[in-house]
Amino acid sequence: MSKKIILGVTASVSIYKSCSLIRVLKKEGYLIKVIMTPNSTRLISPQLLESLTQDKVYVDMFSSYQYSLEHISLAKWAEVSLIVPASANTLAKLAWGLADNLLTSTFLALPSSLPKILAPAMNSNMWKNPLTQRNIKILKESGFKIIPPKKGVLASGEKGEGVLADLEDILKAVKPYL
Ligand SMILES: Cc1cc2nc3c(=O)[nH]c(=O)nc-3n(C[C@H](O)[C@H](O)[C@H](O)COP(=O)(O)O)c2cc1C
């Protein structure tokens, strides 16, 4: 049976790579529900991801068409959860248990046994910042699997650590849970 995957998408310059990830996972027959942070919709349109998933993309915490608590129903539906790309901001919120949008609320509501995989992407100073590193440590201790970013050319044109892991490495890290 196909695994049900929640894919969280945040406002990182690497957001376009989540399109390729969706295409690969769809091709392999997985069921995917995408949750975008409101900030991420300023970088790409939810409609683009809807055309790739052939399903509704979830963004707004308070816009339910029907009577349901979407963050709870999405958390119950999921069998595996990913955030690709994961911004420094969303990592910090998850580490500290904040639930101020549909993505962070859903992740806080996930069962503790459910696989939670994060692929961070950010500027290298943001990645190396002790605050981010402390958040990563907290997340690891709380059971999150982190797919570390790689060294490469950042959006700014500088070289450094913080580039989203390659799609193949993300798939390799996710596959054992599918
Ligand atoms: C074009 C653009 C690219 C950005 N890329 C990143 C990024 O790769 N990583 C990151 O942590 N923040 C990045 N930011 C900053 C985040 O968008 C910002 O911290 C935002 O609050 C994150 O919101 P979210 O976590 O709710 O999606 C970027 C901002 C812009 C405008």
Side-chain angles (χ1 to χ4, degrees):
M1 209 182 77
S2 295
K3 281 266 173 145
K4 297 172 185 165
I5 304 172
I6 291 276
L7 172 64
V9 173
T10 72
S12 155
V13 75
S14 306
I15 195 167
Y16 64 94
K17 296 181 185 167
S18 55
C19 300
S20 309
L21 179 63
I22 292 169
R23 289 196 66 178
V24 174
L25 292 173
K26 280 287 281 184
K27 213 165 148 195
E28 296 195 9
Y30 297 111
L31 302 173
I32 306 165
K33 288 197 185 291
V34 174
I35 308 176
M36 296 178 77
T37 62
N39 285 341
S40 75
T41 66
R42 300 184 67 175
L43 299 184
I44 63 170
S45 160
Q47 204 178 356
L48 176 64
L49 300 190
E50 284 178 347
S51 72
L52 296 172
T53 57
Q54 299 283 292
D55 199 355
K56 174 183 170 180
V57 164
Y58 298 82
V59 180
D60 193 344
M61 182 85 204
F62 300 100
S63 74
S64 205
Y65 308 121
Q66 68 235 9
Y67 177 73
S68 72
L69 293 171
E70 231 146 36
H71 61 295
I72 303 297
S73 54
L74 285 165
K76 281 189 183 156
W77 177 86
E79 292 176 305
V80 175
S81 62
L82 314 173
I83 302 183
V84 182
S87 67
N89 177 55
T90 292
L91 294 177
K93 289 184 193 177
L94 295 177
W96 292 93
L98 297 186
D100 66 338
N101 62 35
L102 187 58
L103 179 60
T104 50
S105 300
T106 303
F107 265 67
L108 199 60
L110 290 171
S112 56
S113 58
L114 196 107
K116 302 175 194 72
I117 305 163
L118 308 172
M122 65 200 69
N123 161 277
S124 75
N125 284 345
M126 288 172 95
W127 174 248
K128 287 189 292 194
N129 190 304
L131 295 170
T132 300
Q133 289 306 314
R134 185 187 56 184
N135 292 335
I136 291 288
K137 187 168 177 280
I138 293 172
L139 289 164
K140 283 181 179 168
E141 286 167 0
S142 309
F144 285 80
K145 179 173 175 52
I146 309 291
I147 307 174
K150 57 176 195 169
K151 281 191 183 148
V153 181
L154 298 154
S156 59
E158 297 157 304
K159 279 193 180 165
E161 207 175 339
V163 177
L164 183 70
D166 290 333
L167 191 55
E168 303 82 72
D169 293 328
I170 295 174
L171 288 167
K172 215 189 286 175
V174 170
K175 277 287 164 71
Y177 302 98
L178 297 176

